[in-house]
Amino acid sequence: MKETMKLPADEIIQMYETMLHDLSYDLHERYSHLLTGLLHQMDQEGGSSKSALLLTHIIDDMRSKSNESTPLSLAKRGVVPAIRQFGKEIEHRFGVTVSLLTERESLSIDQRLLFRLIQQTILMIVENADTDAIDIHMEEDSVTFRFLSPHEQIDVDEKGFLCLIQKRTGMELKIEQRSGQWFWVYFKKRGNKDDFHCDR
């Protein structure tokens, strides 16, 4: 029996990100543009207003899905515009305001990994914290998420994501809660025994 080939994690990440970028590009730059051309043609030919409204909705939804998968600004302009764009999608989809209060591109890790870290953390907070606003501070060696939640406890690692991120980036997550205000802080060094960490 042949031994199963094992790919290094970096190659898998590269493949995954390339696939998501291609999907995002197709949705945003190819298919939505084709439908936009069809919409203009219908307008010139006096087409049905109901059909035009449906097409407009489909175009907007495709572009939204594109930005959720991989904002095209990530490759061109960096992680800050990508986070801002993703924050708009979260507000549109869930009604949760995401504010990037500092714009320093922090941490010496791959920009795609940094974006995925922030993207997935935002989603975990939205899904588990019952909050209506998330503030993000990006510093030179840390990223802080601040939000209000009525919960005394929040499951922060149901799918093992934070353990994976720690292994890939060498980061830790410190969690603090004071009077309903939560602080999730990712940082690049080992902390004390009370910090969230994973040895799996």
Side-chain angles (χ1 to χ4, degrees):
M1 189 167 74
K2 290 184 179 179
E3 195 174 312
T4 305
M5 185 178 69
K6 292 184 179 179
L7 291 175
D10 289 339
E11 289 186 34
I12 295 172
I13 290 168
Q14 178 64 37
M15 288 167 50
Y16 175 75
E17 290 295 339
T18 300
M19 289 169 57
L20 284 176
H21 182 272
D22 291 346
L23 171 66
S24 177
Y25 184 88
D26 286 345
L27 284 172
H28 197 284
E29 298 296 325
R30 292 181 58 200
Y31 305 136
S32 65
H33 282 190
L34 285 171
L35 289 175
T36 300
L38 178 60
L39 188 61
H40 287 314
Q41 183 177 345
M42 285 178 56
D43 188 48
Q44 290 173 350
E45 295 174 356
S48 164
S49 61
K50 289 183 179 178
S51 298
L53 188 63
L54 178 60
L55 267 180
T56 301
H57 175 75
I58 292 171
I59 292 167
D60 289 343
D61 193 51
M62 289 173 73
R63 288 180 173 160
S64 175
K65 291 289 183 256
S66 167
N67 288 323
E68 286 181 36
S69 300
T70 299
L72 298 179
S73 60
L74 179 58
K76 297 175 185 176
R77 293 163 43 212
V79 73
V80 169
I83 294 167
R84 289 194 181 281
Q85 183 62 55
F86 182 71
K88 290 178 185 175
E89 301 304 328
I90 288 296
E91 185 168 3
H92 176 72
R93 187 170 159 195
F94 297 104
V96 177
T97 303
V98 178
S99 301
L100 186 57
L101 301 181
T102 50
E103 297 187 358
R104 182 178 298 175
E105 295 194 5
S106 61
L107 307 172
S108 56
I109 63 175
D110 185 287
Q111 292 233 321
R112 294 165 304 172
L113 278 178
L114 179 57
F115 173 71
R116 293 297 174 207
L117 168 71
I118 294 172
Q119 177 194 49
Q120 295 302 312
T121 303
I122 289 170
L123 288 172
M124 280 194 289
I125 293 170
V126 167
E127 290 170 2
N128 295 292
D130 291 329
T131 190
D132 57 9
I134 304 168
D135 294 336
I136 304 171
H137 296 265
M138 296 176 65
E139 302 297 338
E140 186 174 343
D141 58 359
S142 66
V143 181
T144 301
F145 298 79
R146 185 181 69 200
F147 57 93
L148 292 171
S149 174
H151 299 302
E152 290 297 323
Q153 292 185 335
I154 298 175
D155 187 354
V156 298
D157 200 31
E158 182 181 351
K159 298 176 182 176
F161 170 76
L162 301 181
C163 294
L164 176 62
I165 283 293
Q166 178 177 303
K167 288 179 180 179
R168 295 299 310 135
T169 65
M171 296 178 68
E172 299 264 352
L173 173 61
K174 185 175 183 66
I175 298 175
E176 296 180 0
Q177 189 248 19
R178 297 189 294 268
S179 302
Q181 188 165 67
W182 289 77
F183 298 85
W184 289 14
V185 184
Y186 289 96
F187 58 98
K188 286 281 286 180
K189 61 179 181 178
R190 289 281 177 184
N192 61 43
K193 64 181 181 180
D194 295 323
D195 296 337
F196 176 91
H197 62 277
C198 177
D199 297 321
R200 283 185 283 176

